[in-house]
Amino acid sequence: LAKTTQPISMDSYEGQEVNITCSHNNIATNDYITWYQQFPSQGPRFIIQGYKTKVTNEVASLFIPADRKSSTLSLPRVSLSDTAVYYCLVGDGAYSGGGADGLTFGKGTHLIIQP
Amino acid sequence: GAVVSQHPSRVICKSGTSVKIECRSLDFQATTMFWYRQFPKQSLMLMATSNEGSKATYEQGVEKDKFLINHASLTLSTLTVTSAHPEDSSFYICSARDRGQGADTQYFGPGTRLTVL
């Protein structure tokens, strides 16, 4: 599985747009990029997943350049409740029928939103 | 959709006892589930892969005789911590793999806080 690198922590303010970038230089052709959010004492919550270009859902956007060696999670107009740890993971999203790999979590990015 | 539940959410037990944790995929079938462990202020660490109808696959350093995994149906996997000791106290989280169209996605349960006295 490709290794990912994210900033350890970030600070922002309510109402701002927050962009968290993740590097994954060794991403493989079949790998998808998935972002999770985790609050203390809770399981990670799926935010968004993509393979290339741009993906948008009701909570975030994911930007992936053509070389796919990095990705950026964009959170529009953050609020205090967005304070959490955000994990970027890269793995084989295409089901091969030969089993599945668990996810290798890095340290994640601790996002702190201030009033 | 894609909801995963865990039970119990919190358990306190005496040293030497066994504890069973259930993980259920509520609205999809999961041939593969995963068990993770998370210590305070650390990231999740994969313990084992649970495959429906077959033996679990354990990560290096995880004792298979201590952490028994059973995946008897497409919606249920159980983790039993046998003869628990204080060092087994941790936050245990399961995930279930949803075979979507094109991409597989893991959805996580809310976690189980195990405290061994």
Side-chain angles (χ1 to χ4, degrees):
Chain A
L1 296 173
K3 180 181 177 180
T4 61
T5 303
Q6 308 173 230
I8 294 295
S9 65
M10 291 181 66
D11 294 298
S12 188
Y13 294 91
E14 283 191 292
Q16 299 295 306
E17 176 184 83
V18 172
N19 297 310
I20 306 174
T21 297
C22 177
S23 297
H24 27 79
N25 293 318
N26 297 323
I27 189 169
T29 303
N30 290 337
D31 285 344
Y32 279 71
I33 301 155
T34 311
W35 285 79
Y36 292 89
Q37 174 193 56
Q38 187 181 28
F39 297 110
S41 296
Q42 294 186 27
R45 182 177 77 102
F46 172 84
I47 301 175
I48 197 166
Q49 183 181 70
Y51 183 80
K52 62 180 179 180
T53 61
K54 176 183 175 181
V55 180
T56 298
N57 60 23
E58 62 276 10
V59 297
S61 294
L62 179 58
F63 298 92
I64 306 169
D67 65 5
R68 304 199 328 119
K69 293 183 182 298
S70 67
S71 60
T72 299
L73 173 72
S74 181
L75 304 172
R77 296 181 300 280
V78 294
S79 64
L80 295 175
S81 61
D82 292 316
T83 294
V85 178
Y86 292 81
Y87 293 100
C88 160
L89 292 109
V90 173
D92 183 356
Y95 182 71
S96 65
D101 291 334
L103 295 172
T104 300
F105 280 78
K107 296 183 182 299
T109 297
H110 189 189
L111 175 64
I112 299 173
I113 305 301
Q114 301 182 42
Chain B
V3 179
V4 177
S5 70
Q6 276 184 247
H7 178 79
S9 59
R10 183 183 297 268
V11 57
I12 301 173
C13 68
K14 292 182 179 180
S15 184
T17 60
S18 295
V19 175
K20 179 185 285 188
I21 303 170
E22 293 186 347
C23 176
R24 295 181 185 272
S25 56
L26 299 185
D27 50 3
F28 65 99
Q29 293 183 332
T31 55
T32 304
M33 293 184 175
F34 303 91
W35 288 94
Y36 296 82
R37 181 167 51 183
Q38 186 174 33
F39 292 105
K41 298 191 183 302
Q42 294 188 21
S43 189
L44 284 76
M45 290 184 59
L46 178 65
M47 297 176 65
T49 301
S50 171
N51 298 300
E52 187 266 337
S54 64
K55 290 183 178 181
T57 304
Y58 291 82
E59 296 299 299
Q60 190 173 9
V62 178
E63 301 176 54
K64 63 179 182 180
D65 294 330
K66 181 170 186 61
F67 299 99
L68 301 179
I69 291 172
N70 183 274
H71 194 155
S73 77
L74 289 173
T75 59
L76 173 64
S77 175
T78 60
L79 168 69
T80 301
V81 183
T82 62
S83 186
H85 288 93
E87 58 265 30
D88 298 322
S89 297
S90 188
F91 192 51
Y92 292 85
I93 309 170
C94 72
S95 72
R97 187 164 171 140
D98 185 7
R99 293 167 47 186
Q101 297 180 2
D104 291 343
T105 303
Q106 287 190 33
Y107 294 95
F108 289 82
T112 298
R113 175 74 60 189
L114 170 63
T115 303
V116 185
L117 302 176

